[in-house]
Amino acid sequence: MNKTWVLLSLAGAIYAVFFWPFANWGVTIQSVAVLVIIQLLWIGRVFKLAYSSIILILLLSFHFYTYDETLSYFGSGLVWLLFSTFILAYAFIQTGLAARVSLYVLSLAKGSGKLLILVSFLLMFVLTVMIPSNIGKGSLVSSVLDDLSKSLKKVYEVNYIPKALFIGVAYVSAISAAFVPTGASSTIYAFGIFSEVSSSITYMNWLLYFSVPMLSFVMVLWVVFIFWYPEEKIEPIHVKQLIDRKMEETGRLNSKEIRMMGIMLVTLGLWMTQPVHGYSIPLVGLLGASLVVFPGIGVMKWEEATKGVNWDMMIFFAATLMLANMLIDTGTVEVFVSFLVSHSNDLSSWMFAVGLLIITSLIRVVFVNVLGFMTIMLPTAITLGEKLDSITPLTLAMGVYLMGIPGFLLVTQSPVHLISYSYGYFTTRDLFLVGLIAMLIWIVIVCLTMIFYWSWII
């Protein structure tokens, strides 16, 4: 019997035990059973994520909510924000503007191998503003860096620079996705959760809260790579010429790219000034997506734009909202949190928080999908924060969020890891050894951010 049938049989057995007609387990126990069933399907990849999500919709509709209540989550502004960012990102890439921006940012290194590594990290933050997909961003940057690495290998014996570049893609792609509220599906979800906790969560405040720990980590990671992978002897002028040649191949800025730049500026401008005009971020996102296909202003037709929408992810995203609310509404999160608090009386609030961050980073090793992981961890962190002294629910939840984003140790921790690994520039051992250092650095930075920076600024 293969893995799929084992997991499916286990999920079926759990359902049979806890939901048989004469069972009287109580809604809290049944909600835990649903959580286990759906995680078996999601983590085990028994079905496509969207189909497993439909099974979740059925479970919730039959046992917890009415069918209309369950489907109401598809009308959430967060779901439509995800829809909008898919279209904006697709247009950004298809017009060629993303590749042009990538090459321009890489050219800022002026051919220096050391600076090229740092600039490639910063490129991730630039691209994440308009590409809300780690896979899309990782694929784009990996293809550009692969082209550059192959050209260098024809002339020089270079191994360390490509290793640093491609491991950097695996690490920084996920971290940079949290740089803006629209950076990834998990970030959009976190933005919605945090907005309900505090009215201070705006587009600009999000940048203020998260840019400091992220940029601090990038600078420290760069220093680690410089010492771990010493720069090989290459001529900076040669690297610069390679990038300049690629930029010349893109040609002059065309009308579609110019219009896309205008759409981006309007959308970002409205996002950043949201407290002034009062229009929500999901509404502004839908406006930007509409401009992409608007006659005379847009850059493509509707039929083409919809190719960029990941409908499976839309269903999965809505399902995660349903799951998180089910855990809250049934009191499951409250029961779990009360258990944790009652068994940690000897710990101070901050010691408990640091322990939670470390546990989060360890559990993250087995979760491939960050969004599914966050549907469990963020509601738990917020409820825990309400019971702890000296630390706010928002601060604790943001710390847990940062700890749950990156995967440092294994190639299987995210699709972007698999993409960068597939180019063959680093081994699983390379990733694991550097990852141990990077993971420790990230834990320290997040803890310091919570204790000093967020406690002062929030």
Side-chain angles (χ1 to χ4, degrees), residues 364-378:
R364 171 66 178 87
V365 174
V366 300
F367 274 83
V368 176
N369 191 284
V370 178
L371 178 56
F373 183 53
M374 291 303 168
T375 59
I376 303 171
M377 296 304 300
L378 292 188

Side-chain angles (χ1 to χ4, degrees), residues 19-34:
F19 291 94
W20 69 297
F22 303 103
N24 189 26
W25 291 98
V27 70
T28 301
I29 298 297
Q30 288 183 323
S31 66
V32 173
V34 169

Side-chain angles (χ1 to χ4, degrees), residues 285-302:
L286 191 59
L287 171 64
S290 299
L291 291 176
V292 166
V293 297
F294 198 84
I297 299 175
V299 297
M300 57 182 59
K301 294 182 178 180
W302 173 255

Side-chain angles (χ1 to χ4, degrees), residues 337 380-389 391-394 396:
V337 167
T380 301
I382 290 171
T383 307
L384 268 172
E386 294 172 350
K387 297 182 179 298
L388 298 177
D389 299 325
I391 186 169
T392 67
L394 180 61
L396 184 60

Side-chain angles (χ1 to χ4, degrees), residues 424-452:
Y425 292 105
F426 65 88
T427 65
T428 55
R429 184 175 182 272
D430 293 328
L431 185 71
F432 185 81
L433 292 178
V434 178
L436 287 174
I437 300 173
M439 185 175 177
L440 178 60
I441 293 170
W442 184 239
I443 292 173
V444 171
I445 287 177
V446 173
C447 289
L448 292 177
T449 299
M450 288 178 61
I451 295 172
F452 297 105

Side-chain angles (χ1 to χ4, degrees), residues 323-456:
L323 180 65
N325 280 275
M326 182 269 292
L327 294 174
I328 295 171
D329 294 342
T330 58
T332 305
V333 172
E334 181 69 30
V335 170
F336 178 63
V337 167
S338 297
F339 174 80
L340 290 178
V341 172
S342 64
H343 288 77
S344 58
N345 293 330
D346 295 334
L347 297 177
S348 68
S349 295
W350 282 109
M351 288 179 63
F352 185 86
V354 171
L356 180 63
L357 296 187
I358 295 173
I359 292 173
T360 300
S361 66
L362 294 176
I363 297 176
R364 171 66 178 87
V365 174
V366 300
F367 274 83
V368 176
N369 191 284
V370 178
L371 178 56
F373 183 53
M374 291 303 168
T375 59
I376 303 171
M377 296 304 300
L378 292 188
T380 301
I382 290 171
T383 307
L384 268 172
E386 294 172 350
K387 297 182 179 298
L388 298 177
D389 299 325
S390 307
I391 186 169
T392 67
L394 180 61
T395 299
L396 184 60
M398 290 197 306
V400 167
Y401 175 62
L402 285 185
M403 288 309 308
I405 293 172
F408 292 109
L409 304 179
L410 306 178
V411 172
T412 55
Q413 281 191 262
S414 86
V416 178
H417 286 57
L418 293 171
I419 291 171
S420 61
Y421 175 71
S422 67
Y423 284 89
Y425 292 105
F426 65 88
T427 65
T428 55
R429 184 175 182 272
D430 293 328
L431 185 71
F432 185 81
L433 292 178
V434 178
L436 287 174
I437 300 173
M439 185 175 177
L440 178 60
I441 293 170
W442 184 239
I443 292 173
V444 171
I445 287 177
V446 173
C447 289
L448 292 177
T449 299
M450 288 178 61
I451 295 172
F452 297 105
Y453 181 59
W454 290 341
S455 296
W456 167 67

Side-chain angles (χ1 to χ4, degrees), residues 93-289:
I93 294 172
Q94 291 301 115
T95 56
L97 190 57
R100 186 184 297 276
V101 169
S102 299
L103 290 170
Y104 175 76
V105 173
L106 291 176
S107 70
L108 298 177
K110 303 298 182 182
S112 168
K114 292 180 180 179
L115 286 180
L116 184 64
I117 296 171
L118 176 61
V119 169
S120 70
F121 294 170
L122 299 179
L123 172 61
M124 294 289 187
F125 287 86
V126 174
L127 292 178
T128 201
V129 175
M130 288 307 297
I131 302 180
S133 165
N134 284 340
I135 295 176
K137 182 173 57 180
S139 298
L140 173 66
V141 175
S142 292
S143 64
V144 173
L145 295 179
D146 177 55
D147 199 15
L148 179 61
S149 298
K150 285 179 178 177
S151 298
L152 285 175
K153 280 181 171 290
K154 291 178 181 179
V155 183
Y156 304 101
E157 288 290 333
V158 289
N159 292 304
Y160 286 163
I161 291 178
K163 278 188 180 183
L165 290 173
F166 279 82
I167 293 177
V169 168
Y171 292 164
V172 183
S173 178
I175 291 174
S176 64
F179 180 61
V180 293
T182 56
S185 57
S186 57
T187 312
I188 293 173
Y189 170 73
F191 177 76
I193 291 289
F194 297 161
S195 297
E196 295 177 0
V197 175
S198 172
S199 59
S200 68
I201 299 297
T202 63
Y203 194 96
M204 290 303 296
N205 279 348
W206 184 282
L207 291 174
L208 183 65
Y209 296 159
F210 289 108
S211 59
V212 170
M214 291 177 186
L215 295 178
S216 298
F217 173 76
V218 163
M219 295 303 298
V220 176
L221 183 65
W222 178 51
V223 173
V224 169
F225 276 168
I226 288 176
F227 283 98
W228 196 271
Y229 297 121
E231 182 182 11
E232 291 110 339
K233 292 183 179 180
I234 58 174
E235 290 293 333
I237 188 63
H238 189 198
V239 179
K240 184 177 183 302
Q241 288 174 349
L242 289 174
I243 297 176
D244 290 342
R245 191 180 307 123
K246 290 296 177 183
M247 292 182 67
E248 290 175 3
E249 291 175 1
T250 62
R252 300 183 62 181
L253 200 67
N254 58 49
S255 60
K256 281 189 175 182
E257 290 175 295
I258 293 173
R259 293 200 299 273
M260 190 63 214
M261 287 176 62
I263 294 171
M264 288 170 55
L265 290 174
V266 169
T267 305
L268 291 174
L270 290 174
W271 275 339
M272 291 179 179
T273 57
Q274 190 270 333
V276 177
H277 53 70
Y279 297 117
S280 68
I281 286 181
L283 177 58
V284 171
L286 191 59
L287 171 64

Side-chain angles (χ1 to χ4, degrees), residues 41-42 45 47-54 312-313 316 369:
L41 299 182
W42 279 345
R45 300 283 175 161
F47 305 115
K48 294 290 186 181
L49 286 176
Y51 183 62
S52 295
S53 300
I54 289 175
D312 282 7
M313 181 55 71
F316 173 61
N369 191 284

